[in-house]
Amino acid sequence: GKDAVQSQLDKHRTFFSRTLYYKSMLDTKNKVFRNIIKSVEAGNVDTNEASVKMQQLNERFNYVCQNSQLWEQKLQEAVRCWHNFRECERVISDWLLKAEQLISEKHIDTKETVESHKVFFERVNERWIHDLVQTAQDLRSCLPSDQQKPIVNSVERLQAKWREVLSFAPLHLMRLEFRLDETTFNQYIKDIEKEINIEQQAFNKQENVDAIIARNKDYFVNRGTVLEVEHCIQNMKKIAESYSQWQPSDSSLNDAVSSVEHQWETVAQRVEHLRQQLHQIPAQ
């Protein structure tokens, strides 16, 4: 991984940090050797072997210096590639983790929460996956073939997870919208039943019928409560229909709609029954 390459690079730099020292030693040796050659030029001394050795030494030193720079560049590139790949991996992993947390949230009962989920999933950046693939390719070009498999596996795993979450996101958002409408519906039903009970009790106590009728009309007609409930049910039906097209095997939302409709039918009958009761009594 990156740490191993960084460690290798550090060792490399430490070792070759003494290059100038050895270069200076070699320069001194070359100088001394040239002086020796000059001093024996007059005599009949064979310096060929020594000259060849010195030439070989200089060539080896230059070769090592050049290659040390080349290897430092390669190691630096490998560290850079590892860093970029890990960064892309981290960004996508973090997003997927957050996405999974949002998807598994159970209690979502405000419009703001639903909106925040929408924003999160709609702002997903497709470039992240492109960057992951690109940085993985760059990294693999720095690695020997026997070390490339984990990189390939990581990319494939993240791509699969990414596709899975993105295909699931629309369903998740639909369910959120549905649950929000369902919560609203349940609150309406609770309030309506409370109102029915209040009016029924007043009626049973033979309180002023005109006042009860006025209250009944205000609550159920003027305020548009019934229309709001029906609008809520229509929304749920639309969402359930869309959801079924995406996920035909899951009938949970359709089942919930049936339950809601049945519930509303029962409550609506109670509302109508109360209205009829009120209007059967002659005005006082």
Side-chain angles (χ1 to χ4, degrees), residues 69 71 111 155 176 183:
Q69 289 168 358
W71 273 103
K111 194 79 179 162
V155 171
L176 287 191
T183 303

Side-chain angles (χ1 to χ4, degrees), residues 194-216 220 270-284:
K194 188 178 171 185
E195 180 63 25
I196 291 171
N197 290 337
I198 290 169
E199 291 182 21
Q200 189 72 56
Q201 281 171 12
F203 178 76
N204 292 345
K205 287 178 186 173
Q206 297 182 341
E207 291 178 14
N208 186 304
V209 174
D210 285 343
I212 303 171
I213 288 173
R215 176 177 175 138
N216 183 278
F220 290 103
R270 284 189 66 196
V271 171
E272 181 56 24
H273 176 68
L274 175 62
R275 194 187 66 78
Q276 285 176 2
Q277 269 186 312
L278 293 173
H279 287 280
Q280 276 169 4
I281 305 294
Q284 292 174 3

Side-chain angles (χ1 to χ4, degrees), residues 16 39 85 97 99 113 168 179 185 187 213 230 236:
F16 284 100
S39 67
F85 175 71
L97 182 66
T113 311
F168 194 75
R179 295 302 171 207
F185 171 82
Q187 190 56 50
I213 288 173
E230 287 174 347
M236 290 165 79

Side-chain angles (χ1 to χ4, degrees), residues 32-265:
V32 170
F33 184 71
R34 280 196 298 273
N35 288 337
I36 291 170
I37 296 293
K38 275 182 186 173
S39 67
V40 296
E41 268 178 353
N44 194 16
V45 178
D46 184 4
T47 59
N48 278 343
E49 191 181 341
S51 294
V52 167
K53 276 187 179 177
M54 279 307 293
Q55 188 183 347
Q56 285 175 342
L57 185 62
N58 279 290
E59 284 172 357
R60 279 180 71 192
F61 188 83
N62 289 334
Y63 172 82
V64 167
C65 286
Q66 284 168 4
N67 274 277
S68 78
Q69 289 168 358
L70 193 65
W71 273 103
E72 183 168 348
Q73 286 168 8
K74 284 185 176 180
L75 287 167
Q76 281 175 324
E77 178 64 8
V79 168
R80 187 187 68 80
C81 288
W82 269 112
H83 171 77
N84 291 346
F85 175 71
R86 288 294 183 222
E87 190 56 23
C88 287
E89 209 178 31
R90 183 192 64 76
V91 167
I92 291 172
S93 296
D94 286 354
W95 186 87
L96 288 171
L97 182 66
K98 177 69 175 165
E100 286 171 335
Q101 285 170 349
L102 291 180
I103 285 168
S104 63
E105 265 184 38
K106 298 294 179 207
H107 304 292
I108 294 160
D109 49 11
T110 67
K111 194 79 179 162
E112 291 73 27
T113 311
V114 174
E115 282 306 314
S116 71
H117 280 235
K118 270 187 177 177
V119 167
F120 178 84
F121 285 106
E122 283 166 5
R123 283 190 185 165
V124 60
N125 192 342
E126 290 289 345
R127 180 144 193 90
W128 292 339
I129 279 288
H130 170 77
D131 288 347
L132 178 75
V133 172
Q134 189 58 56
T135 55
Q137 283 174 352
D138 293 344
L139 177 57
R140 285 173 64 194
S141 68
C142 296
L143 296 175
S145 55
D146 61 336
Q147 290 178 26
Q148 293 181 16
K149 188 67 177 161
I151 307 300
V152 174
N153 290 347
S154 176
V155 171
E156 286 176 353
R157 180 181 59 79
L158 286 171
Q159 280 180 315
K161 196 75 192 159
W162 175 271
R163 282 192 291 268
E164 182 192 335
V165 167
L166 284 189
S167 66
F168 194 75
L171 298 173
H172 169 66
L173 293 173
M174 277 188 255
R175 276 211 297 270
L176 287 191
E177 295 268 14
F178 186 90
R179 295 302 171 207
L180 197 59
D181 280 327
E182 195 174 35
T183 303
T184 306
F185 171 82
N186 289 334
Q187 190 56 50
Y188 275 133
I189 294 297
K190 211 171 168 183
D191 293 345
I192 288 169
E193 286 180 331
K194 188 178 171 185
E195 180 63 25
I196 291 171
N197 290 337
I198 290 169
E199 291 182 21
Q200 189 72 56
Q201 281 171 12
F203 178 76
N204 292 345
K205 287 178 186 173
Q206 297 182 341
E207 291 178 14
N208 186 304
V209 174
D210 285 343
I212 303 171
I213 288 173
R215 176 177 175 138
N216 183 278
K217 187 181 178 186
D218 178 60
Y219 188 88
F220 290 103
V221 181
N222 298 348
R223 287 195 206 173
T225 306
V226 171
L227 286 174
E228 283 175 11
V229 173
E230 287 174 347
H231 177 66
C232 202
I233 294 171
Q234 284 309 311
N235 272 355
M236 290 165 79
K237 284 173 90 167
K238 275 184 202 166
I239 296 168
E241 204 175 299
S242 298
Y243 187 87
S244 295
Q245 287 169 357
W246 276 79
Q247 195 84 334
S249 60
D250 185 355
S251 65
S252 58
L253 297 198
N254 281 326
D255 294 344
V257 167
S258 299
S259 169
V260 158
E261 285 182 318
H262 177 69
Q263 213 178 336
W264 175 234
E265 201 178 310

